[in-house]
Amino acid sequence: MAILSNETKSIFTLQTDHSMYQMKVDAYGVLLHTYYGEKGTPFDLSYLITYADHGFSGNPYEAGDERTYSLDALPQEYPVYGSGDYRASALKVRYPDGSHACELRYVKHQLQKGKYALPGLPAVYAEKDTPADTLIITLEDTRKSFYVHLYYGVLEDLDLITRSVCIENHGEAPLYLEQVLSTCIDFQHGEYHLHTFYGRHMKERTHQRIPVSHGIHSVGSSRGASSHQHNPFILLTSPQATEDHGECYGLSFLYSGDFLALGSKDQFSQTRILMGIHPDNFCYRLDTGERFYAPETAMAYTSHGMAALSQIYHRAYRHDLCRGRYKTARRPVLLNSWESVYMDFDGKKLVEMAKDAADLGIELFVMDDGWFGKRDRDVSGLGDWHVNEEKLGCGLKGLSDEIHKLGLQFGIWFEPECINEDSDLYRKHPDWVLKVPGKAPVRGRYQLVLDFSREDVRAYILKQICQVLDSARIEYVKWDFNRSISDIYSALLPPERQGEVAHRYILGLYDMLEKLTARYPDLLLEGCSGGGGRFDAGMLYYTPQIWCSDNTDAIDRLSIQYGTSFGYPVSTIGAHVSHCPNDQTGRITPLETRATVAMAGTFGYELDTNEITEEERPVIQQQIQEFKKYYDLIQDGLYYRLTDPDRYPACHCWEFVKPDHSEALLCIVALQIQPNTVRSCIRLKGLSPDKIYMIEGRAYPGSALMNGGYLIPNATSEYESFRIHIIEKNRE
Ligand code: DGJ
């Protein structure tokens, strides 16, 4: 068992292969956090906690005259609002009498074999070969109204500890949960850097590193989706931590809606990290006997730098979060119609493109937006999920059959959660959207959002989708969502329950995705929200890949994919080769460079195949062959960021290494051409120092490549790229 408790059952030590996490129930029944870090002897680390008489930091009544005991200063496992701890808290409850003051005390705990699951919510699961244990610690408020069940999942081999919280009302009247965050980690000692990933549409997940300083630094979303603007994944590292060295903690939220991630330093220079559902659009009424489950967070620790931390998440999310056939099956190389024809196509045009695609070695043809309802522009049609045969000049089955005859699979785009006012569905059911009575709703991309908190609305949309999927052979669905949510109000809920709508919407989304994946287990689902507006671990439970960004410019993608790689594996990152000049930036980049960058993702194309020149054709054929050859190395290999695009302007480098260290692929994109200079070199990572590796016919010891480095080829034109294969001698 990876969970230990001492004889008095007051200390709980969770151990993974390389990390350790400890809590202690103190004399007053308060659950203290005593340690998270490198694995060691499961000794009681509470000796590190200091007690002193701090002015203006009050004392719980039970402490009597003991003025050195204050929750305002102690490291706690689940701090609650109104307990005398004035720092940011995890839980805020409104009692039936309108009060908020609350204290939690230990009641019991329970150990279970295996990893807990959460009703209606995504969660890391333990595959057959993944040992896992669960600890549930139950606290109760001192007014004896509710329990707080703290869930811990320990996935030893993965070095991952998951957390969730369940609030159970056992009182006589409804409670209002005004804030239920999923995780708090208190660090009494040490200085830290907080790493977050900010951005905007077409520029997602830019890495930002700042010292945790006095006060609060928070990121989050109240847009109804995890958002382009901030990502529900953060790192906390030592100030010295680099890619290869230093202490790193990761906190990833398995949730696709509003979130809050917060780092703070208190009056005693103690650091507190919190993560959970953003309280802004949240207030949940919990009736007697009801339980509320907060979404899961996944925590990881390593003392070996950020690359090792990312690799923990890469492995865990590929192996124990993504599900379905395409968790392991090779994903087809696809051609997506969006940037080639947008909504301006008919069936004939698509088949022409598919013919060329088949000749190039592409395996899946995806018809993006524009095939349904009245949809030639984005002003109309959303909600009417029936094929526009007039526009296509054929039926969906006919089109799919034609495409299959060419040896390709067929995929299709949906945006199930949204609706245009100019649609038959809206004309029939104007009350099905999120809309506040008496106020005109905010529109986004000319569309409104369907009320997915409603079962009837979801059932209708799911039926429409199934009808389409059953009408033809369709192997892939892109599930898009193209606006931020506003006007959060559901026509079916009473006023006192309107604070639940944003969360119920996400539960509704998950419910629908669960039903869809259960009904079509072989379907490849790709998540999307105007690119990467909902790129989070919650979605990965349902869709094993997510379109990373609407920006397909290879150079911009370097930093977008770099930032994304901190918390998410390459196998989840949707990336395509698009045409040039690029539609978003106007930049011209070599076709080979666009492929190099797209190969650090799911790899596909998004250009008009009919416009490919005779010179480009064999190049693309070769790229596809190469991607297939390196598929396992890229998708399942260890991923190393070799340069930081913000700090190293000359070129950007990354590397995939087979877990047995026998093979690697070094990728380089030149960003600046320097005349009259000496060649730079890059130190490789993850190789075996004692092995001999062959690179372009020349032998190098692994130690030389890692300690000395590899000479970067001289680029002769801007944005030239190199894919350099490295293989152990005698395995070529
Ligand atoms: C946004 C997506 O990110 C694009 O790839 C494309 O599918 C459009 N929506 C279609 O409207």
Side-chain angles (χ1 to χ4, degrees), residues 133-378:
D133 295 295
T134 294
L135 167 68
I136 305 166
I137 301 180
T138 300
L139 313 174
E140 188 184 24
D141 73 314
T142 49
R143 292 173 77 180
K144 309 268 181 230
S145 303
F146 65 94
Y147 293 124
V148 173
H149 306 287
L150 301 177
Y151 282 69
Y152 298 84
V154 184
L155 297 108
E156 235 174 313
D157 290 5
L158 296 176
D159 274 323
L160 204 71
I161 298 176
T162 64
R163 282 182 69 171
S164 178
V165 179
C166 166
I167 314 292
E168 181 185 352
N169 181 355
H170 67 76
E172 316 239 291
L175 294 166
Y176 287 87
L177 308 178
E178 295 187 351
Q179 172 166 314
V180 187
L181 302 187
S182 301
T183 287
C184 171
I185 315 177
D186 272 354
F187 298 88
Q188 265 220 320
H189 308 281
E191 292 292 320
Y192 298 94
H193 281 182
L194 180 68
H195 303 238
T196 58
F197 299 88
Y198 71 93
R200 56 182 187 271
H201 180 222
M202 298 204 192
K203 196 84 178 100
E204 299 89 338
R205 291 172 294 286
T206 308
H207 178 214
Q208 171 174 274
R209 176 178 188 156
I210 54 163
V212 178
S213 48
H214 286 97
I216 294 178
H217 181 85
S218 74
V219 296
S221 165
S222 48
R223 294 169 175 267
S226 49
S227 89
H228 302 85
Q229 285 72 14
H230 292 288
N231 194 264
F233 174 75
I234 60 167
L235 293 172
L236 191 73
T237 68
S238 66
Q240 300 77 24
T242 63
E243 283 287 343
D244 312 305
H245 304 284
E247 291 204 290
C248 300
Y249 299 85
L251 198 51
S252 173
F253 196 31
L254 282 76
Y255 191 63
S256 310
D258 295 348
F259 78 95
L260 175 70
L262 174 160
S264 66
K265 201 181 214 183
D266 71 10
Q267 55 181 332
F268 309 114
S269 296
Q270 305 178 113
T271 297
R272 171 170 286 180
I273 299 294
L274 288 161
M275 189 180 255
I277 295 181
H278 203 299
D280 269 6
N281 289 323
F282 179 84
C283 180
Y284 203 96
R285 176 184 151 132
L286 198 65
D287 286 332
T288 302
E290 275 185 352
R291 286 172 163 238
F292 173 84
Y293 287 87
E296 179 166 282
T297 55
M299 309 185 295
Y301 165 84
T302 177
S303 56
H304 299 291
M306 294 183 284
L309 190 92
S310 293
Q311 288 168 9
I312 293 175
Y313 284 101
H314 294 173
R315 186 166 155 228
Y317 284 177
R318 273 193 313 240
H319 192 258
D320 297 75
L321 177 64
C322 291
R323 300 179 298 166
R325 173 161 176 231
Y326 285 100
K327 171 178 146 175
T328 48
R330 186 174 73 72
R331 319 247 178 99
V333 175
L334 67 76
L335 175 77
N336 179 294
S337 65
W338 182 243
E339 282 197 21
S340 48
V341 289
Y342 293 100
M343 294 186 204
D344 183 15
F345 58 81
D346 58 18
K348 206 160 143 254
K349 172 69 187 164
L350 298 181
V351 173
E352 270 169 27
M353 281 167 58
K355 272 187 194 143
D356 273 333
D359 178 54
L360 292 167
I362 284 165
E363 298 160 306
L364 163 67
F365 183 86
V366 178
M367 175 171 64
D368 208 281
D369 193 355
W371 58 268
F372 52 89
K374 191 177 94 187
R375 186 77 170 167
D376 292 321
R377 287 178 54 214
D378 53 11

Side-chain angles (χ1 to χ4, degrees), residues 338 343 368-369 375 413 415 445 478 480 482 528-531 547 550 606:
W338 182 243
M343 294 186 204
D368 208 281
D369 193 355
R375 186 77 170 167
W413 177 96
E415 188 171 354
R445 204 197 188 195
K478 179 171 170 187
D480 206 348
N482 282 301
C528 178
S529 173
W547 182 228
D550 270 353
E606 192 156 332

